[in-house]
PDB file of all heavy atoms in Angstrom:
ATOM      1  N   PRO A 312      38.851 -10.388 -63.496  1.00 96.00           N
ATOM      2  CA  PRO A 312      39.293 -11.741 -63.154  1.00 96.00           C
ATOM      3  C   PRO A 312      40.073 -11.693 -61.829  1.00 96.00           C
ATOM      4  O   PRO A 312      40.938 -10.845 -61.665  1.00 96.00           O
ATOM      5  CB  PRO A 312      40.229 -12.135 -64.304  1.00 96.00           C
ATOM      6  CG  PRO A 312      40.494 -10.899 -65.079  1.00 96.00           C
ATOM      7  CD  PRO A 312      39.604  -9.815 -64.614  1.00 96.00           C
ATOM      8  N   MET A 313      39.729 -12.578 -60.914  1.00 95.00           N
ATOM      9  CA  MET A 313      40.386 -12.556 -59.595  1.00 95.00           C
ATOM     10  C   MET A 313      40.188 -13.906 -58.926  1.00 95.00           C
ATOM     11  O   MET A 313      39.309 -14.663 -59.323  1.00 95.00           O
ATOM     12  CB  MET A 313      39.774 -11.427 -58.765  1.00 95.00           C
ATOM     13  CG  MET A 313      40.398 -11.145 -57.405  1.00 95.00           C
ATOM     14  SD  MET A 313      42.190 -11.121 -57.326  1.00 95.00           S
ATOM     15  CE  MET A 313      42.627  -9.739 -58.367  1.00 95.00           C
ATOM     16  N   GLY A 314      41.005 -14.184 -57.932  1.00 92.00           N
ATOM     17  CA  GLY A 314      40.894 -15.442 -57.202  1.00 92.00           C
ATOM     18  C   GLY A 314      39.575 -15.523 -56.447  1.00 92.00           C
ATOM     19  O   GLY A 314      39.023 -14.495 -56.037  1.00 92.00           O
ATOM     20  N   TYR A 315      39.098 -16.742 -56.234  1.00 90.00           N
ATOM     21  CA  TYR A 315      37.799 -16.919 -55.594  1.00 90.00           C
ATOM     22  C   TYR A 315      37.746 -16.327 -54.192  1.00 90.00           C
ATOM     23  O   TYR A 315      36.684 -15.974 -53.690  1.00 90.00           O
ATOM     24  CB  TYR A 315      37.409 -18.413 -55.557  1.00 90.00           C
ATOM     25  CG  TYR A 315      36.034 -18.581 -54.985  1.00 90.00           C
ATOM     26  CD1 TYR A 315      34.919 -18.316 -55.775  1.00 90.00           C
ATOM     27  CD2 TYR A 315      35.841 -18.902 -53.651  1.00 90.00           C
ATOM     28  CE1 TYR A 315      33.647 -18.373 -55.246  1.00 90.00           C
ATOM     29  CE2 TYR A 315      34.582 -18.966 -53.115  1.00 90.00           C
ATOM     30  CZ  TYR A 315      33.488 -18.709 -53.914  1.00 90.00           C
ATOM     31  OH  TYR A 315      32.232 -18.745 -53.391  1.00 90.00           O
ATOM     32  N   TRP A 316      38.915 -16.183 -53.550  1.00 87.00           N
ATOM     33  CA  TRP A 316      38.938 -15.632 -52.196  1.00 87.00           C
ATOM     34  C   TRP A 316      38.243 -14.282 -52.117  1.00 87.00           C
ATOM     35  O   TRP A 316      37.745 -13.892 -51.062  1.00 87.00           O
ATOM     36  CB  TRP A 316      40.374 -15.496 -51.697  1.00 87.00           C
ATOM     37  CG  TRP A 316      41.215 -14.578 -52.528  1.00 87.00           C
ATOM     38  CD1 TRP A 316      41.224 -13.219 -52.468  1.00 87.00           C
ATOM     39  CD2 TRP A 316      42.140 -14.933 -53.551  1.00 87.00           C
ATOM     40  NE1 TRP A 316      42.105 -12.706 -53.391  1.00 87.00           N
ATOM     41  CE2 TRP A 316      42.677 -13.729 -54.061  1.00 87.00           C
ATOM     42  CE3 TRP A 316      42.572 -16.155 -54.088  1.00 87.00           C
ATOM     43  CZ2 TRP A 316      43.615 -13.706 -55.091  1.00 87.00           C
ATOM     44  CZ3 TRP A 316      43.510 -16.123 -55.105  1.00 87.00           C
ATOM     45  CH2 TRP A 316      44.024 -14.911 -55.599  1.00 87.00           C
ATOM     46  N   PHE A 317      38.192 -13.571 -53.255  1.00 92.00           N
ATOM     47  CA  PHE A 317      37.605 -12.239 -53.247  1.00 92.00           C
ATOM     48  C   PHE A 317      36.099 -12.297 -52.957  1.00 92.00           C
ATOM     49  O   PHE A 317      35.512 -11.321 -52.475  1.00 92.00           O
ATOM     50  CB  PHE A 317      37.884 -11.558 -54.590  1.00 92.00           C
ATOM     51  CG  PHE A 317      37.588 -10.089 -54.615  1.00 92.00           C
ATOM     52  CD1 PHE A 317      38.003  -9.257 -53.579  1.00 92.00           C
ATOM     53  CD2 PHE A 317      36.902  -9.521 -55.671  1.00 92.00           C
ATOM     54  CE1 PHE A 317      37.741  -7.898 -53.602  1.00 92.00           C
ATOM     55  CE2 PHE A 317      36.631  -8.160 -55.700  1.00 92.00           C
ATOM     56  CZ  PHE A 317      37.052  -7.352 -54.665  1.00 92.00           C
ATOM     57  N   ALA A 318      35.462 -13.451 -53.223  1.00 90.00           N
ATOM     58  CA  ALA A 318      34.025 -13.582 -52.964  1.00 90.00           C
ATOM     59  C   ALA A 318      33.720 -13.369 -51.487  1.00 90.00           C
ATOM     60  O   ALA A 318      32.792 -12.626 -51.125  1.00 90.00           O
ATOM     61  CB  ALA A 318      33.528 -14.952 -53.423  1.00 90.00           C
ATOM     62  N   ALA A 319      34.517 -13.989 -50.624  1.00 85.00           N
ATOM     63  CA  ALA A 319      34.281 -13.852 -49.179  1.00 85.00           C
ATOM     64  C   ALA A 319      34.442 -12.404 -48.753  1.00 85.00           C
ATOM     65  O   ALA A 319      33.673 -11.884 -47.939  1.00 85.00           O
ATOM     66  CB  ALA A 319      35.248 -14.751 -48.415  1.00 85.00           C
ATOM     67  N   THR A 320      35.461 -11.737 -49.323  1.00 88.00           N
ATOM     68  CA  THR A 320      35.679 -10.332 -49.001  1.00 88.00           C
ATOM     69  C   THR A 320      34.488  -9.496 -49.457  1.00 88.00           C
ATOM     70  O   THR A 320      34.031  -8.597 -48.746  1.00 88.00           O
ATOM     71  CB  THR A 320      36.957  -9.826 -49.705  1.00 88.00           C
ATOM     72  OG1 THR A 320      37.953 -10.830 -49.610  1.00 88.00           O
ATOM     73  CG2 THR A 320      37.454  -8.552 -49.080  1.00 88.00           C
ATOM     74  N   LEU A 321      33.991  -9.800 -50.663  1.00 92.00           N
ATOM     75  CA  LEU A 321      32.861  -9.025 -51.193  1.00 92.00           C
ATOM     76  C   LEU A 321      31.623  -9.193 -50.311  1.00 92.00           C
ATOM     77  O   LEU A 321      30.923  -8.218 -50.014  1.00 92.00           O
ATOM     78  CB  LEU A 321      32.546  -9.465 -52.631  1.00 92.00           C
ATOM     79  CG  LEU A 321      33.481  -8.918 -53.711  1.00 92.00           C
ATOM     80  CD1 LEU A 321      33.177  -9.564 -55.056  1.00 92.00           C
ATOM     81  CD2 LEU A 321      33.355  -7.407 -53.828  1.00 92.00           C
ATOM     82  N   ILE A 322      31.365 -10.442 -49.892  1.00 90.00           N
ATOM     83  CA  ILE A 322      30.209 -10.692 -49.022  1.00 90.00           C
ATOM     84  C   ILE A 322      30.335  -9.863 -47.749  1.00 90.00           C
ATOM     85  O   ILE A 322      29.411  -9.168 -47.329  1.00 90.00           O
ATOM     86  CB  ILE A 322      30.123 -12.200 -48.679  1.00 90.00           C
ATOM     87  CG1 ILE A 322      29.752 -12.999 -49.928  1.00 90.00           C
ATOM     88  CG2 ILE A 322      29.110 -12.449 -47.559  1.00 90.00           C
ATOM     89  CD1 ILE A 322      29.770 -14.509 -49.734  1.00 90.00           C
ATOM     90  N   ASP A 323      31.539  -9.905 -47.189  1.00 87.00           N
ATOM     91  CA  ASP A 323      31.831  -9.198 -45.948  1.00 87.00           C
ATOM     92  C   ASP A 323      31.667  -7.690 -46.092  1.00 87.00           C
ATOM     93  O   ASP A 323      31.004  -7.030 -45.293  1.00 87.00           O
ATOM     94  CB  ASP A 323      33.300  -9.506 -45.597  1.00 87.00           C
ATOM     95  CG  ASP A 323      33.466  -9.844 -44.151  1.00 87.00           C
ATOM     96  OD1 ASP A 323      32.506 -10.427 -43.594  1.00 87.00           O
ATOM     97  OD2 ASP A 323      34.527  -9.536 -43.592  1.00 87.00           O
ATOM     98  N   GLU A 324      32.289  -7.143 -47.135  1.00 91.00           N
ATOM     99  CA  GLU A 324      32.314  -5.691 -47.309  1.00 91.00           C
ATOM    100  C   GLU A 324      30.929  -5.155 -47.671  1.00 91.00           C
ATOM    101  O   GLU A 324      30.572  -4.046 -47.290  1.00 91.00           O
ATOM    102  CB  GLU A 324      33.327  -5.297 -48.392  1.00 91.00           C
ATOM    103  CG  GLU A 324      34.767  -5.589 -48.005  1.00 91.00           C
ATOM    104  CD  GLU A 324      35.254  -4.748 -46.827  1.00 91.00           C
ATOM    105  OE1 GLU A 324      34.872  -3.565 -46.731  1.00 91.00           O
ATOM    106  OE2 GLU A 324      36.011  -5.293 -46.001  1.00 91.00           O
TER     107      GLU A 324
END
Side-chain angles (χ1 to χ4, degrees):
Chain A
M313 185 44 64
Y315 184 78
W316 61 80
F317 192 46
T320 319
L321 282 173
I322 291 174
D323 225 32
E324 294 294 323

